[in-house]
Amino acid sequence: MASQTQDKIAYHRQGDIAVLSIQNPPVNALSHAVRQGLMAQMDRAEADEGVRAVLIVGEGRAFIAGADITEFGKTPLEPWLPDVCNRIEASPLLVVASMHGVSLGGGLEIALSAHYRIAQPTARVGLPEVHLGLLPGAGGTQRLPRLIGVERALDAITSGRHIQAPEALEMGIIDKIEEGDPETVGLSYVQSLLADAAPRRPISEMPGPAPIDWDATYAATLKKGRGQISPAQAVRAVQASAELPFDQGMKAERKMFMDLMKTDQRQGMIHAFFSERAVSNLPELKGIAPRDLNTIGVIGGGTMGAGIATAALLAGFDVVLIEMTDDAAVAAKDRIAGNLQGALKRGKIGQGKFDALTTTALRVSTAYDDLAQADLVVEAVFEDMDVKKQVFGKLDAVCKPGAILASNTSYLDVNEIAASTSRPADVIGLHFFSPAHVMKLLEVVVANQTAPDVVATGFALGKALAKVSVRAGVCDGFIGNRILATYRTAADHMVLDGASPYQIDVALTDFGFAMGPFAVADLAGLDIGWATRKRKAPDRHPDERVPTYIDRLCEQGHFGQKTGRGYYIYEKGKRGGVPNPEIAKLIADEQAALGITPRTFSDAEIVRRYMAAMVNEAAKVVGEGIARRPLDVDMTLLFGYGFPRFWGGPLKWADLQGLPALLTDIEAYAKDDAWFWQPAPLLKELVATGRNFDDLNKEAAS
């Protein structure tokens, strides 16, 4: 029978099987039209004489990728997805879903409403709603536990992870794997089910799953989420599947879903979702083609250089790495091989790929001349301007015309580096974060003379390396490290005034950071901050408060984790550290020398001051054009500095708290320290005009 279409769902018959083909490219998102079409075509199949079964299949590259993101934030229109799922499941016909590509969120919930599921070997399924601050809201928390049990369902729902077809088969989410055209293998499967007189198998009619210790699981999930509430709330929804009849469980799930829809965390995570996709979309690069990239050069084979080389190799580039000595070259090659060994163990690459990357694709040398054919070279040497200039002088001499010369500097002036070459238009900053083959952030630092196609190439490289790339202007520390220096200073000031470093670390991990600032300092190395303080000392403003107590520790050779002692003491074989008792005495000595009487801080005040400093400096960064949009700051802090995703970023957090109250607090703090707490002009302007940071994002997008 010829195919006929109801909105986004095509209908045709193959004997006694009605085929419903979802046609909503590119990924068959569950738009209003798709939901309407599924309802209408299910009605049609049941009214079509002789039809015994329904096959639901997606055209294009996915079964159903999930909700339609263009409908996010809008009032949902009927039919709602839970009703569509219930309608499919209640059909007297045998309903089968044939899945390929991804079946995520509502896509998997549609498949779970079918009576049987078949998938391609490469298919992936999942319920990733927790990444949007939500939980599955169309029966996912009620059907999946009935199908596969509580523990496996909780793992899938609270992690939001993608599950590969073989694992999904082993878990019981799908019933069969078969390679081929999804409609063809689906029809064959339906025919075999009909031939065997297989019964309808609605999951809603299966018994509820066995209970577990719900309160303990809830508490553990909340702790693991570091303040994110949606995974823990999903535990309560799954609990409903064990304790309530299906219909009541669906109502409980829906209420929890709608309650989460109203939370700040949901707003923050939706902001992060869209901003991650918008951050690399720069109007200035439209129509500008990047330069060709095949061979990447790396200068320096330490932790950072080896990480950059690893990332480039895994992305399919040939890599030439330059070290100063033969011994250093051997060590660099071993470091890269170790990184790739990790990828091999995790299944990202096979043994053959590992062998090819370490023998054919990678070349380690001590001769700069070996970079003659490199398309782009990243230097990752010591953070010293004279050293950088020496490297760029050598690169300028040996690299071919059109090769891009990039610096991985964290703070230094890329304009000054570019000016030391004869080709400043080819120079750019590419600030990777360590370990570079793991961390997702890449700051693309655009100098005054950087050519547009060089900028485009920086973003193309970031995309190839699967990085979240953010455009940054030139200033000390660019976006991330400049803001970091300020909020880290706010923490230092609180320590001088009476808060302990350990109270601050706890308050900020409770807020949602993976680590507190003093634990981070130990991890990065206290010598880095020590060197920065010495570098900035000649130009320091006389009113600037700069704690020096930690310098005493550095002078003794204690630099944090790498030496076993810093703010914390680290023992081999033990995870984490314990507070270093020497720190309290060093702080007390400096307080006495400065005539400071320590006071107590509440955790709430610690968080407010820390965040106010972060937001105020971020507003200056945006106001000066170092970051073009507030979302650029948000993505930098999310992906490079451990900012909790459920807040969306510091400037989204500021919007959620309210800018007027935040400005009032900053002005109050300025009464005690006018130099540090100078309100950002942009923040004052936004408050005066009744706007917020998100308004600036919208203006930039229009």
Side-chain angles (χ1 to χ4, degrees), residues 65 87 428 583:
R87 170 70 186 86
I428 196 167
I583 296 293

Side-chain angles (χ1 to χ4, degrees), residues 5 25 33 72 104 130 142 172 184 194 200 278 309 418 482 485 512 517-519 532 544 581 599 609 642 673 677:
T5 302
F72 284 10
L104 301 175
V130 292
Q142 304 305 298
T184 303
L194 291 174
R200 288 173 65 259
R482 172 174 163 178
F518 299 99
T532 300
E544 184 177 356
R599 69 175 181 88
R609 281 180 174 262
D673 188 348
W677 289 106

Side-chain angles (χ1 to χ4, degrees), residues 130 158 217-219 221-223 228-237:
V130 292
T158 61
T217 303
Y218 175 89
T221 305
L222 192 62
K223 182 179 180 180
Q228 185 184 343
I229 58 176
S230 57
Q233 197 59 44
V235 173
R236 294 304 189 201

Side-chain angles (χ1 to χ4, degrees), residues 131-133 263-275 635 638 644-649 652-653 656:
H131 298 314
L132 297 177
T263 62
D264 286 348
Q265 289 196 8
R266 183 259 177 185
Q267 289 190 55
M269 297 188 84
I270 290 288
H271 171 76
F273 177 86
F274 282 108
S275 297
M635 294 304 97
L638 279 189
R645 186 178 179 89
F646 57 80
W647 284 119
K652 183 61 179 179
W653 174 88
L656 291 168

Side-chain angles (χ1 to χ4, degrees), residues 407-423:
S407 175
N408 181 55
T409 180
S410 303
Y411 290 94
L412 301 180
D413 187 340
V414 180
N415 284 318
E416 186 176 343
I417 293 172
S420 70
T421 74
S422 65
R423 52 173 103 183

Side-chain angles (χ1 to χ4, degrees), residues 61-95:
R61 65 176 194 245
F63 177 68
I64 301 171
D68 187 342
I69 62 174
T70 65
E71 295 181 4
F72 284 10
K74 298 178 182 177
T75 302
L77 300 173
E78 294 188 34
W80 298 328
L81 188 58
D83 297 331
V84 178
C85 291
N86 290 342
R87 170 70 186 86
I88 292 169
E89 187 183 59
S91 177
L93 304 174
L94 189 74
V95 184

Side-chain angles (χ1 to χ4, degrees), residues 135-179:
L135 52 75
T141 67
Q142 304 305 298
R143 289 190 174 91
L144 194 61
R146 281 176 164 82
L147 185 65
I148 66 172
V150 164
E151 291 187 0
R152 285 179 160 182
L154 281 175
D155 169 65
I157 294 168
T158 61
S159 70
R161 66 187 179 92
H162 290 198
I163 301 168
Q164 304 286 342
E167 184 184 0
L169 178 67
E170 188 271 329
M171 292 171 72
I173 298 175
I174 59 178
D175 301 298
K176 186 176 183 180
I177 292 175
E178 187 171 341
E179 189 166 7

Side-chain angles (χ1 to χ4, degrees), residues 205-290:
E205 297 176 11
M206 295 179 181
I212 59 171
D213 186 336
W214 298 108
D215 290 346
T217 303
Y218 175 89
T221 305
L222 192 62
K223 182 179 180 180
K224 185 178 179 181
R226 292 198 297 266
Q228 185 184 343
I229 58 176
S230 57
Q233 197 59 44
V235 173
R236 294 304 189 201
V238 172
Q239 181 178 354
S241 76
E243 297 179 349
L244 298 173
F246 182 81
D247 289 349
Q248 292 181 36
M250 286 290 288
K251 289 177 182 176
E253 176 194 80
R254 194 65 184 169
K255 183 182 185 304
M256 294 180 211
F257 178 86
M258 296 308 296
D259 287 345
L260 288 171
M261 284 285 287
K262 301 169 188 172
T263 62
D264 286 348
Q265 289 196 8
R266 183 259 177 185
Q267 289 190 55
M269 297 188 84
I270 290 288
H271 171 76
F273 177 86
F274 282 108
S275 297
E276 185 178 344
R277 285 148 183 80
V279 70
S280 300
N281 185 15
L282 300 180
E284 68 197 74
L285 297 183
K286 285 184 178 176
I288 296 177

